[in-house]
Amino acid sequence: MSIQIPIAEGLFSWPAAKPALLASRCKRCGIAAFPVASSCMACSWQDVEIEELPTRGTLWTWTVQQFMPKKPYRSDETHETFTPYGVGYLELPGGVRVEGRLTENDPEKLYIGMQMDVVFEPFRTEDNGDEVINFFFRPVQ
Amino acid sequence: MDVAIVGIGIHPFGRTPARTGLQQGAYAARLALQDAGVEWRDIQFAFGGSASAGSADALVNELGLTGIPFINVANGCATGGSSLISAYNAIKSGQYDIGMVTGFDKHDRGAFNADPKELGIGEWYGEVGMMMTTQFFAMKIQKYMHDYSISHDTLAKVAEKAFINGSKNPNAWRTEPITVDEIINSIMVNNPLTKFMFCSPAEGGVALILCRADHAKRYTDAPVYLKGATMKSRRFGSFEVFAPSQALQQVDGPTVDASKAAFEMAGVDPKDMAVLQLQDTEVGAEIMHMAENGFCEDGEQEALIQQGATHIGGSMPVNTDGGCLANGEPIGASGLRQVYENVLQLRGQAGGHQVPGDPKLAYTHVYGAPGISAVTILQR
């Protein structure tokens, strides 16, 4: 039976009723980092705690990837089936700006400052049928 | 002890199927030796870099086995700048009198495909399609256009100017001018940047001979002095390539830091510079680097570029040899190409791409992954 697996362990809570991106926050300077790191990139402190990031934020900047990347890109697509995809940084209040793929790829529908939700959806299917889950940013509906 | 550049050599950039990257490096090295009037056996040390064409120190197989220390340098797109600073310090320290800096490369066609693991980033980052330098540059200029009202037409004018300058440079790769319409309407790569707004990985080689300033006149009538040479990496909070996240509080990037340090070291101001070579891996980079290096305020680029200020003959000529846009980017050689161009300019030997007015001070800037910048200030 096929199951859903996260694209990387520790990137977001999974499985979870309400999954969220995971950050580490420095216990000395209070800076949050994504993905979780064992030390603080701001002050080098090694005492950090893990927390869930907000699931709604503001688009800080964006682009659309119009050509299929070479390896290490690993999706189910071929050059024939490749669909351009949006990429952006989402500012999560009180946390950090996280880079992620957007569910929207129409440049006419993307603008700096728009509200987006963090969602968790299948990205590719492994040979054994497992669905690999990644995080995406989706315009608030 | 000041440091002088007394010999320069270049292998034309672009595509040269008949020569390996190493052979292109050796070609440039022999021209630099000839330019300084010295032989390889006179060289006491070398620093060199190549990202895709083998180890730079393998050049000794081409040039001769003389026993000198030859140190390989790898700092992404800033490799050439880092090599130059290393050589500068080696002479400045008094340890050596004369040495060589070299860089060469030969890349495959198409965008670079970097490996996240080498930069300490999880493999997922590459798998989902975010390990792309082009995306970073697109997102940085997208934000900058939004904040400072830079137009798409201005983006295209940067590329138009690059190809005009390239057409005047016999060592450039792209030597045909391309119109603003063609640039804007070429295939979209990463919004808002089209194909002709990006440079491409390429091939080429550059070598420089450096010596103690008090020995310079032994080798040349026209020494060029390295008055400033700095290199900085990113501080926490700067917005950089290959960053899965970005701090909420943004700080100045390594370009601002390296630039300020170089001006302080040289004791000169941005307005003193007669010619500028600024990293232009795409058009947005050139625009933003004008401000980051202190040559204008954020947003002033729109008027400056529309008025032609950055053209040869303008008030602040930028990338007079066509830059990365017209020369392509062989990583190991790219930063040294800028220095080569500025030495030509200061000697008055740049031919069709010479800036007028007898330039005395010239500036170079490179930026590389994952957030490093190197700057030089040259003086005649």
Side-chain angles (χ1 to χ4, degrees), chain A residues 2 6 15 18 20 25 30 46 68 71-73 88 102 123 126 136 139:
Chain A
S2 72
K18 289 183 180 172
R25 191 177 290 275
Q46 288 184 291
M68 185 163 158
K71 281 182 184 173
Y73 188 56
L102 313 178
F123 172 65
E126 302 286 48
F136 296 84

Side-chain angles (χ1 to χ4, degrees), chain A residues 33-48:
Chain A
F34 173 85
V36 168
S38 59
S39 64
C40 175
M41 221 189 277
C43 78
S44 189
W45 198 245
Q46 288 184 291
D47 192 7
V48 300

Side-chain angles (χ1 to χ4, degrees), chain B residues 272-288:
Chain B
D272 300 326
M273 299 295 121
V275 54
L276 319 175
Q277 315 300 331
L278 306 178
Q279 182 87 338
D280 62 331
T281 37
E282 40 72 44
V283 295
E286 178 170 318
I287 292 169
M288 295 181 287

Side-chain angles (χ1 to χ4, degrees), chain A residues 97-135:
Chain A
R97 295 177 189 129
V98 174
E99 186 183 12
R101 282 180 61 140
L102 313 178
T103 58
E104 180 60 67
N105 70 355
D106 179 354
E108 299 301 319
K109 293 180 180 166
L110 292 167
Y111 59 94
I112 288 171
M114 70 190 293
Q115 294 290 295
M116 290 189 146
D117 287 323
V118 184
V119 296
F120 300 85
E121 294 178 355
F123 172 65
R124 66 164 186 262
T125 305
E126 302 286 48
D127 290 340
N128 64 5
D130 288 356
E131 276 190 321
V132 175
I133 304 298
N134 185 38
F135 65 95

